[in-house]
Amino acid sequence: MNELPQQLVNGLLLGSMYGLIAIGYTMVYGIVQLINFAHGEIFMTGAFGALTVYIYILPDGTSMLIALPLMILGAVIVSVTVAIGAERFAYRPLRGGPRLAPLITAIGLSLALQQAVWAWYPDAKSARTFPQIEGGPFHIGSITLQTGSIFLLIAAPVSMAFLGYFVMKTRTGRGMQATAQDPDTAKLMGVNTDRIIVIAFALGAVFAAIGGVAYGLEYGHVDFKMGFILGLKAFTAAVLGGIGNIYGAMIGGVVLGIAETLATAYIGDIPGLGQFGSQSWADVWAFILLILVLLFRPQGLLGERVADRA
């Protein structure tokens, strides 16, 4: 029990990362009802975009206080470019067609992005070391935080607050709400729905890019396969919170992260269940939680916000 505060913080950190990625899933699904399974790879390309800026653009020995904003900018540019390209050339031609077609396209795009990084980025076949912020660790009672952890704890709520303001208070945000509710009526009211959909993809990519940088800072490495399982868990978080609900995506991520961390830390201490507390079971507990929520509250913790367009 002495480790419980640290484990809760570890779960909060993991859940915040899930939440940053889940926002992209839930925004896109809420507007075009597309499950963009390539979103995990958009997160991955953002991390490699940040690493590219640090290795190939910045001078050797650049302080991370100077490098980090430029790395975030590089990550955002790469992720947004990939996301907008995917929307324009992979998803838009299939809009209005059978729902299975864009789903299969998303899976194919996910694999293509993985292989593109694997083939073209030097040494991407193994994990690449990610630069770290100087300083730390920091101790608050029994809790230990690395500098990367502090970045993540700041980035997640700031991103969520910005998105909440953008969606609720700006004209574009209201256009996103109208498009999500009824795209045909939104068009009649003068809303450029194609532009709104592109913005939704781009915003989701921005938060995925920030999540990619946070992952590198938290764990010290990135690799071309990192987006696959994290993308699945982020989708799980979006469903847990209520698909289409942007606040639910972050809450679902936090719930999932804490549940996964506590299960991994404590179930192994129960006699006869040691193997079920191993790290290899962490993914299993995440999906067990999803199944339980779908059984007893299928609309998610905060409820779905997706219009019925049947």
Side-chain angles (χ1 to χ4, degrees), residues 22-23 25-31 167 180 237-239 241-249 299 303-307:
I23 289 171
Y25 276 109
T26 205
M27 287 180 63
V28 170
Y29 187 84
I31 292 177
V167 171
V239 175
I243 195 71
N245 190 317
I246 58 174
Y247 299 106
Q299 71 271 32
E304 293 183 6
R305 290 189 180 178
V306 179

Side-chain angles (χ1 to χ4, degrees), residues 119-139:
W120 297 108
Y121 200 90
D123 300 324
K125 300 171 182 63
S126 58
R128 290 297 305 263
T129 301
F130 201 86
Q132 299 295 291
I133 303 174
E134 299 88 351
F138 304 96
H139 302 280

Side-chain angles (χ1 to χ4, degrees), residues 196-252:
I196 291 296
I197 292 169
V198 169
I199 290 173
F201 272 87
L203 274 177
V206 168
F207 297 121
I210 294 172
V213 174
Y215 181 96
L217 293 173
E218 177 69 13
Y219 298 106
H221 64 85
V222 295
D223 68 83
F224 76 99
K225 296 181 291 185
M226 61 188 266
F228 179 73
I229 190 64
L230 281 170
L232 286 179
K233 289 187 179 180
F235 174 68
T236 301
V239 175
L240 283 177
I243 195 71
N245 190 317
I246 58 174
Y247 299 106
M250 184 61 72
I251 292 175

Side-chain angles (χ1 to χ4, degrees), residues 4-82:
L4 181 59
Q6 181 68 59
Q7 296 297 342
L8 289 174
V9 170
N10 293 343
L12 178 62
L13 290 167
L14 184 61
S16 297
M17 195 172 305
Y18 291 158
L20 283 172
I21 308 171
I23 289 171
Y25 276 109
T26 205
M27 287 180 63
V28 170
Y29 187 84
I31 292 177
V32 295
Q33 296 189 5
L34 164 69
I35 301 174
N36 180 18
F37 276 124
H39 190 65
E41 276 56 55
I42 292 172
F43 156 84
M44 177 270 293
T45 57
F48 274 94
L51 185 62
T52 299
V53 169
Y54 185 81
I55 294 176
Y56 295 108
I57 297 179
L58 297 176
D60 292 341
T62 301
S63 169
M64 279 297 287
L65 294 177
I66 298 174
L68 186 58
L70 298 176
M71 291 170 64
I72 294 173
L73 179 61
V76 168
I77 290 173
V78 171
S79 288
V80 170
T81 300
V82 172

Side-chain angles (χ1 to χ4, degrees), residues 108-304:
L109 180 60
S110 172
L111 296 173
L113 289 173
Q114 285 187 36
Q115 295 306 307
V117 174
W118 182 86
W120 297 108
Y121 200 90
D123 300 324
K125 300 171 182 63
S126 58
R128 290 297 305 263
T129 301
F130 201 86
Q132 299 295 291
I133 303 174
E134 299 88 351
F138 304 96
H139 302 280
I140 305 174
S142 61
I143 298 172
T144 300
L145 290 173
Q146 304 295 333
T147 48
S149 303
I150 294 174
F151 171 82
L152 180 54
L153 288 176
I154 294 173
V158 169
S159 298
M160 196 71 249
F162 168 80
L163 182 60
Y165 175 83
F166 181 86
V167 171
M168 300 304 297
K169 299 296 184 180
T170 67
R171 183 175 181 177
T172 300
R174 290 191 290 271
M176 292 173 69
Q177 294 180 62
T179 303
Q181 183 66 31
D182 189 331
D184 293 330
T185 302
K187 283 183 180 179
L188 294 175
M189 299 299 291
V191 177
N192 186 336
T193 55
D194 286 338
R195 174 174 172 270
I196 291 296
I197 292 169
V198 169
I199 290 173
F201 272 87
L203 274 177
V206 168
F207 297 121
I210 294 172
V213 174
Y215 181 96
L217 293 173
E218 177 69 13
Y219 298 106
H221 64 85
V222 295
D223 68 83
F224 76 99
K225 296 181 291 185
M226 61 188 266
F228 179 73
I229 190 64
L230 281 170
L232 286 179
K233 289 187 179 180
F235 174 68
T236 301
V239 175
L240 283 177
I243 195 71
N245 190 317
I246 58 174
Y247 299 106
M250 184 61 72
I251 292 175
V254 170
V255 170
L256 179 61
I258 291 176
E260 181 181 324
T261 300
L262 293 182
T264 304
Y266 293 110
I267 288 180
D269 295 334
I270 300 175
L273 297 179
Q275 71 273 25
F276 299 115
S278 63
Q279 187 61 42
S280 61
W281 269 77
D283 301 339
V284 178
W285 291 117
F287 290 104
I288 287 175
L289 177 61
L290 173 63
I291 292 170
L292 291 174
V293 171
L294 291 177
L295 283 174
F296 296 104
R297 189 173 172 80
Q299 71 271 32
L301 298 176
L302 297 189
E304 293 183 6

